[in-house]
Amino acid sequence: MMRLFLSLMLGFALAAPAGAEPAKPSATLNAALDDVRVMVETAPGELGLVVAVTDRERLLLVATHGYADIDTRRPVTADTRFAIGSISKSFTAITLLQLADEGRFDPQAPIARYLPDFHPRSTFPAITGHALMTHTAGLPNYLTNVASMRFLVAALNDFEPRYAPGAHFWYSNSGYQLLGYAAERIEQRPFPLVLKHRVLDRLGMAATEPQIDDRLQGAIATSYVRLRNGSYAAAPWFDYLAADGAIVSTGADMSAYARMLLARGDTPKGRLISARAFDRFATAVLEDYGYGIDVKEHGQVLAHGGSIAGFEAYLRADLAHGVGIVFLSNGPLDDALRDRIIARLTQGASGQPKAAPKVGDATDSEPQHHADATNFAGRFIGRKDDALVFAADATGGLRLEEVGAGLPLTRLGNDSWGLYLTAKGPRAFTFFRNASGVVTDVAEGVSGYARPGSGVAIAEAPIAYRPLVGRYKAHGEEGQGVRIFVRNGRLMLTHIDGGDDALPLDADGPTRFRFARPAFSPEWLAFDTVIDGQVQRLTMSGAPLYRIDLP
């Protein structure tokens, strides 16, 4: 109650009197805006970037950098549109809270009231809208094979939650897709139209689209993904309509949305949602997450990131200082630059003069590089005294020294390398480090090898794991890929394009596994269909992936 009281009092204290002239930015905020413009315009690289800043009354800055299309050298402008990914979730939550204000949606009611075809197998209490909006429903994150398709409702009926709604936080795009389908049934029209009518039009977001479809090809920025060699390539185009991440917008339009957040649900034309609904929206439940939004600094900062098809975005509304900021990019966002810009704006908005840079502080963004190949060079010994020997070459690459010849490896990730065409088939080597960052051991398939003196003991892999190891891929525009291998006797998973996130797996049956950490994770893996001694299909939480002969 005290938190609610303080939030409401602060909201009243910050509201401008009716008819009053908007306050001019302070000298310290103006200085910060000048610095932000310079930081954006002088950022390294060619990827497009828009940074927009607003206070409670108006747009203060739109700074741009780079290209909306690198090949044609089309520059980013203030009007360039970008996909915002998961920031869309807060729009979905706002939409449903409007329906709640009208008495047409009850967040505490079973979501099956609005989606009668949704009935997952469960002995726990029914999943509610509240649980879906707060990512506490216990549903899997994302089913690539049915994402943005209404068949998801039926697909999740084969899923059995591992815990009661509200017990744990597990980020679930699937849950927000369900919320969009619930809103469709309530309103009896497609969710993108519901969103446009209820939120976008009322906030004057005329340049914003509620879905990604073929009309936007060439009309929005081209997005890019980082390749393993550090360069960039255009991301594949795909349509997306679901409520978890389909919005395309501009810096100015997103600033209008940020102003609504700064005003705690109010707008110049009246409230978008009630004060009570906004308080529910902006109250953290688990893991500092409210309804489609991260709730930080005791409720005084609302934020969310988003990524889809190569686009990355970030929204932050500082309710205490009355400043909102939007980052839109057609490639990976530079987190260090983002954090410096936020810190400088917070400093200026709070009336503090610019602080002198600390010794050693970077003035520009430092490009991210892969770990030096020399980190992996050396001799690694297996359980039977067999060895793998790696050597760095003069070009910064890595070789596998085998049978008197050096086989050049291809980098697969920061700490992984591979061989594509060999008599043994595709080979992948995943390296591991100790707490000091020193490489200690390497895994290949079911085999492990340790650097002498590392202290790592290599355990034998169960025979049953041999058919499972390899690379698996899903088909389609968003087809994810994973690599399965064994480290010290334990089955592991790493995402092909997700960095070196080696995740240990626990057996949950002869050919079924779960993530070992966290223990409550609802995700599961099942292997089936053996051909020539190798499993050919891996089903992840209901989405099928198939073996592909690549490292």
Side-chain angles (χ1 to χ4, degrees):
M1 289 298 295
M2 180 58 70
R3 178 178 178 178
L4 172 60
F5 173 77
L6 291 175
S7 296
L8 293 174
M9 289 302 295
L10 183 59
F12 291 137
L14 295 178
E21 287 293 325
K24 294 181 179 180
S26 66
T28 56
L29 179 55
N30 276 328
L33 292 171
D34 290 340
D35 289 344
V36 168
R37 183 182 295 279
V38 171
M39 283 192 275
V40 173
E41 293 178 350
T42 61
E46 297 183 314
L47 290 174
L49 174 65
V50 167
V51 175
V53 182
T54 185
D55 61 13
R56 295 186 182 90
E57 288 86 25
R58 62 194 179 286
L59 184 65
L60 301 178
L61 170 73
V62 178
T64 65
H65 167 83
Y67 295 102
D69 189 287
I70 294 174
D71 289 342
T72 63
R73 316 305 280 179
R74 174 164 58 97
V76 167
T77 70
D79 297 325
T80 301
R81 293 187 287 179
F82 301 79
I84 67 170
S86 287
I87 300 173
S88 305
K89 290 180 173 64
S90 63
F91 287 74
T92 299
I94 292 288
T95 299
L96 286 163
L97 285 169
Q98 281 187 9
L99 292 169
D101 280 339
E102 297 166 10
R104 301 173 64 199
F105 175 74
D106 180 0
Q108 300 299 335
I111 197 67
R113 174 185 295 181
Y114 312 101
L115 288 176
D117 296 313
F118 176 67
H119 38 78
R121 296 172 297 179
S122 179
T123 59
F124 297 113
I127 291 172
T128 63
H130 171 84
L132 294 175
M133 285 194 278
T134 57
H135 296 298
T136 60
L139 295 180
N141 180 9
Y142 197 67
L143 304 188
T144 55
N145 58 324
V146 291
S148 193
M149 299 172 186
R150 198 168 282 98
F151 187 82
L152 173 79
V153 177
L156 287 173
N157 287 337
D158 292 329
F159 183 78
E160 187 172 354
R162 299 188 69 197
Y163 52 83
H168 300 287
F169 178 93
W170 187 261
Y171 195 88
S172 177
N173 284 283
S174 299
Y176 265 82
Q177 292 170 41
L178 289 178
L179 289 166
Y181 299 136
E184 283 189 344
R185 285 188 61 88
I186 294 169
E187 289 278 78
Q188 291 296 297
R189 56 177 168 173
F191 179 74
L193 286 181
V194 176
L195 177 64
K196 184 177 186 302
H197 169 70
R198 287 187 165 274
V199 180
L200 306 184
D201 289 350
R202 290 181 61 180
L203 292 177
M205 299 175 67
T208 300
E209 292 288 347
Q211 67 182 34
I212 302 171
D213 57 50
D214 289 341
R215 297 171 304 139
L216 301 182
Q217 284 189 291
I220 65 175
T222 300
S223 61
Y224 296 89
V225 292
R226 197 198 311 266
L227 302 179
R228 294 190 180 103
N229 63 8
S231 63
Y232 294 92
W237 175 268
F238 67 94
D239 302 313
Y240 205 79
L241 291 71
D244 59 324
I247 293 175
V248 172
S249 192
T250 65
D253 271 17
M254 288 300 296
S255 295
Y257 184 72
R259 284 193 292 276
M260 181 275 296
L261 297 180
L262 293 173
R264 300 175 182 271
D266 204 359
T267 79
K269 297 181 179 179
R271 296 202 65 88
L272 194 63
I273 57 175
S274 68
R276 179 183 178 185
F278 187 85
D279 185 67
R280 175 180 283 177
F281 170 84
T283 297
V285 176
L286 291 180
E287 301 292 334
D288 295 328
Y289 202 89
Y291 276 12
I293 200 82
D294 289 308
V295 183
K296 304 173 181 290
E297 299 183 21
H298 307 290
Q300 297 311 306
V301 172
L302 305 177
H304 211 291
S307 62
I308 185 171
F311 292 99
E312 290 196 11
Y314 190 76
L315 167 71
R316 187 178 193 270
D318 186 335
L319 278 62
H321 295 113
V323 174
I325 183 165
V326 177
F327 296 80
L328 302 173
S329 179
N330 56 351
L333 270 177
D334 183 333
D335 291 343
L337 176 62
R338 182 198 68 189
D339 291 346
R340 283 204 305 278
I341 288 174
I342 290 173
R344 183 68 187 96
L345 274 176
T346 302
Q347 187 182 65
S350 61
Q352 301 174 25
K354 182 178 180 180
K358 298 178 182 178
V359 175
D361 276 1
T363 54
D364 317 305
S365 300
E366 297 292 339
Q368 295 182 345
H369 296 290
H370 287 303
D372 194 288
T374 58
N375 290 339
F376 314 107
R379 185 179 183 85
F380 297 79
I381 309 299
R383 288 187 71 254
K384 300 179 180 180
D385 291 330
D386 49 331
L388 293 178
V389 180
F390 301 93
D393 61 30
T395 65
L398 191 69
R399 301 191 313 273
L400 173 65
E401 302 292 342
E402 197 167 79
V403 196
L407 304 176
L409 300 173
T410 299
R411 190 186 282 275
L412 305 177
N414 195 48
D415 287 346
S416 56
W417 300 75
L419 286 168
Y420 281 82
L421 295 172
T422 78
K424 297 181 180 179
R427 301 178 66 182
F429 307 94
T430 304
F431 293 84
F432 293 88
R433 304 169 181 268
N434 61 19
S436 301
V438 176
V439 172
T440 56
D441 59 301
V442 57
E444 181 196 3
V446 295
S447 301
Y449 305 82
R451 192 189 294 276
S454 66
V456 174
I458 300 299
E460 185 173 6
I463 294 175
Y465 288 177
R466 293 183 178 275
L468 311 183
V469 301
R471 180 168 168 178
Y472 298 82
K473 185 181 186 301
H475 285 285
E477 299 91 340
E478 284 196 280
Q480 63 175 325
V482 300
R483 186 178 297 112
I484 302 294
F485 60 96
V486 177
R487 185 195 185 200
N488 292 343
R490 188 164 202 176
L491 202 66
M492 309 282 290
L493 174 149
T494 186
H495 291 89
I496 298 301
D497 297 317
D500 296 296
D501 55 342
L503 305 173
L505 303 175
D506 280 346
D508 197 32
T511 58
R512 189 177 173 101
F513 295 83
R514 293 191 180 277
F515 292 171
R517 297 190 299 268
F520 60 78
S521 167
E523 311 292 344
W524 55 269
L525 300 86
F527 298 85
D528 67 76
T529 312
V530 177
I531 298 176
D532 292 333
Q534 293 183 315
V535 163
Q536 300 299 314
R537 181 169 64 179
L538 164 59
T539 302
M540 293 187 63
S541 299
L545 292 79
Y546 301 91
R547 180 181 294 275
I548 184 169
D549 291 329
L550 292 172

